[in-house]
Structure formats: C-alpha cells, structure tokens
Amino acid sequence: MAYTQILKALHRSLQHAATPYAVQTCKLTQVSLLIHTHRTLSTVSRPTLHRRAPSSVLPALSCFIESQRRRGISLAFTARNQSSPENRDKSVSRYQSGSPKPSAAQKVKDAGRDFTYLIVVLIGLGVTGGLLYVVFQELFSSSSPNKIYGKAFDKVKSHPEVIGAFGEPIKCYGETTRRGRRQQVSHLEYLKDGLKHMRLKFYIEGSEPGLKGTVHSESKENNETGKYEFRYIFVEIDTYPRRTIIVEDNR
Amino acid sequence: MEEYAREPCPWRIVDDCGGAFTMGAIGGGVFQAVKGFRNAPAGVGHRLRGSANAVRVRAPQIGGSFAVWGGLFSTIDCGLVRLRRKEDPWNSITSGALTGAILAARSGPLAMMGSAMMGGILLALIEGFGILLTRYTAQQFQNPVPFADDPSQLPPKDGGQQQQGAKGQFQ
C-alpha cells in the first residue's frame, strides 16, 4: 500500500512537471532534445504507467513516440498535436481533482466485458464439474458398470475352473478403441419387471498363450438394498475347443 | 479381427508418443504463428517472416514436450496395466498424476504435488469425456425393445424360454 501511495505522489508531481514540457517539446520538434526527454521521461514514468490508468500519460508519450519515429513534422503529427491538448488538459484536471472517475459509457463497457468473462468462466466450471461428476459416479458409485466389472472380475479370477483353463495371472479388459485403450466395458442397462438389469461383457486372458475368454454377466438391482446382484456370470472360451464355464448362476 | 489378436500395450507407447508430438507440433505451430505475427515489427513482410521464424523455432519444442508427456504417460499406463492386470479408468488417472509428478520432479515436492493434481484432474476430465461419449453412442444404437431372454450358453433352469439370438446385441 505504501509503495502505491509513493508511486501515486511521484506520478502526480511528474505529471505536473511533464505536461508543460511535453507541449513545449512537441512544438519544438528538435530531435536530439526530443530523444533525450523521451528517454528520461519514459524511464522514470514506466512503473507509474503500469500502476495507474495509462490514459493520462499516453497522449503525451504517444506524441513523443510519433515524432521520434517520423523525425519531422508530418500531417499525422500535426493532427495528433492539434487533437491532443484538450485530451491532455482533461486528463490533468482529472488528476488534479482527485481519484479518476470513469464515465458511464466506460463503466457499461467494463461491466459488459466482466460479465462476458464471468459467463465464460461459469461455462468452463460447469463443464468441468459435469465431467468430474460423471467420472466420480463411474468410479465410486456401486451401481456403475465399472464397479460391477471389478466385482465380476474378482469372482471370475478366483474361480478354480477358470484358473485351470486360462492359467494364473488372469487379466481383463474391455472393448478396444481405435487408440489402443481397452478401458470401456460394453454394458447394457435395461428395465425388466420394474427392476434395473445390467449386462456386461468383457474379455479375459490368462498365462496360456492364445487363449481368450469372453465373460458375460447380468446383474439385477435388489429392490430393498438398491444394490446390484449377479444373476449369472459365465466365461466363454473363444478359441477352438469351445466351452462355457459357469462361474455363478443365481437365476 | 486383427485388432483383437494384437496386444496393444508395448506398441501403444510409440503410438502415443508420435501422436502427442504431432498434436503439439501442429497446435503449437498455429499458436506460435499467431504470436510471431503479432510480435514482429510492422509491415507484412516482417510479420510473415517473424511468424515463420517463431513457428520454426518453437513448434518442434512444443511438440517435443508434448511427446515426452505422451510417452511417459503411456509407459506408466502400460506398466499399471501389467501390474494390476486390469484395464479401467483408474489406470489413466493414476498415470496422468504420476507423469505430472515425474516431469515436475526437478522443481521440488510442492510443485510435484501441484503438477500431479493437474495431471490427474486433466486425465479424469478426458476419461469423463470418453465415458460420456460411449454412453451417448450406446444410446444411439440401443434397441427400442430390450431383449429379455437369457443367453443360450446357460443351461435351462427354470424351464423358461431359451431362444437363440440373445447374443450379439451388446453395443
């Protein structure tokens, strides 16, 4: 806070000193002096220019820059010189009168811009929240396909006949996508007799080379607890001696 | 059937690395072209030259850092698949967080934590998008009348109607 106070005071005194100087040098158009004053002024006033509203210093500064670039009097320069004094006076009087008061149009413009940004931020937050909700529901809800897939795989994995057929460590995966991801398990939810049912299909592989199995399972929502219970789980061996291993059958 | 016969995992690392490089190079190239155009001195020739220069210098860098991210991510993902013997969204999220942590390892533990959080959340968002996409496409192909028969592989138990054709209706 103290820093900004000092800067403000410095800026105000600088403004007093600089504006007559600016008028003078703009009229003079002496290149060497111009470059010199520009340099000193810009080095001193740069921090204040960043802190405070730059609109007050800018006409004077832009006048310098313009003249320095063109190195002479051109049409644009004179036009700028004609238009700038009232601007400069306004800005100076505004600074002398105290804190800057933005006009109504400026206020409306600022408010509109802030509102647009707010809407963009809110949309972003909404989309992010929605996606996170979907992910958390999928990962933690006990009735999500992903959880049931985990439970079904645990049952399949510990079934002795499956272990005997496929060999010990058994791994499971879902449908292969185009990019080599196999995380999505194909599932189908439907309603039968007023109860929610879910069918899952995923694949398992064991240590036996070239042996693949497809696991089908169906689970039914229990009316009292609201949890899904397996109706059946069976493994179908996809390679030639085709057979079916029934892991669970509670129909 | 060729996709089913091939194990995606070790090869996926190369695939992801190249894909990430392409993505970073193209996206970074577009970004840097605009940035170089704006930062160059006035004049169309200068601006075009500045734009081309910025793309030439910066786009491969951005592509390279993307490639590092993608390759490390995929490596950790494959490692997790190998360790857990299961493929589910947890693998992606964990490996995203781990990748972020490893790549920020030189900036200290706090930066590692923040980076890991960012990576995990980013990957969770991508996973959520994938889940939503599968749900949406699944609903498009859903039968209006869902089948109610049990698959024919199961032995008949309650003397119910056992019919063919229950299989193959998964989405």
Side-chain angles (χ1 to χ4, degrees), chain A residues 135 138 140 149-150 169 171-172 180-183 186-189 192 199 212 231-232 236 246 249 251, chain B residues 4 7-8 12 16 85-87 90 92 124 127-128 135 142 147-151 153 155 157 171:
Chain A
V135 169
E138 180 79 14
F140 295 114
Y149 160 59
K171 62 179 175 182
C172 65
R181 297 282 132 85
R182 305 192 290 194
Q183 295 167 349
S186 125
H187 62 275
L188 175 64
E189 286 176 77
K192 188 171 133 189
R199 284 191 181 192
K212 273 183 200 163
R231 280 188 76 220
Y232 59 80
E236 214 184 351
I246 293 166
D249 195 352
R251 288 174 302 159
Chain B
Y4 291 106
E7 194 73 10
R12 214 179 68 189
D16 276 7
R85 314 212 145 263
K86 192 177 170 193
E87 300 198 19
W90 279 116
S92 298
E127 281 302 314
R135 271 192 205 164
Q142 188 136 27
F147 57 94
D149 305 329
D150 290 330
Q153 290 96 337
K157 209 164 220 184
Q171 327 94 10

Side-chain angles (χ1 to χ4, degrees), chain A residues 55-73:
Chain A
S55 61
S56 57
V57 201
L58 229 87
L61 258 183
S62 62
C63 175
F64 281 126
I65 293 164
E66 193 78 31
S67 59
Q68 196 189 359
R69 197 195 292 158
R70 298 190 186 221
R71 307 270 163 134
I73 303 168

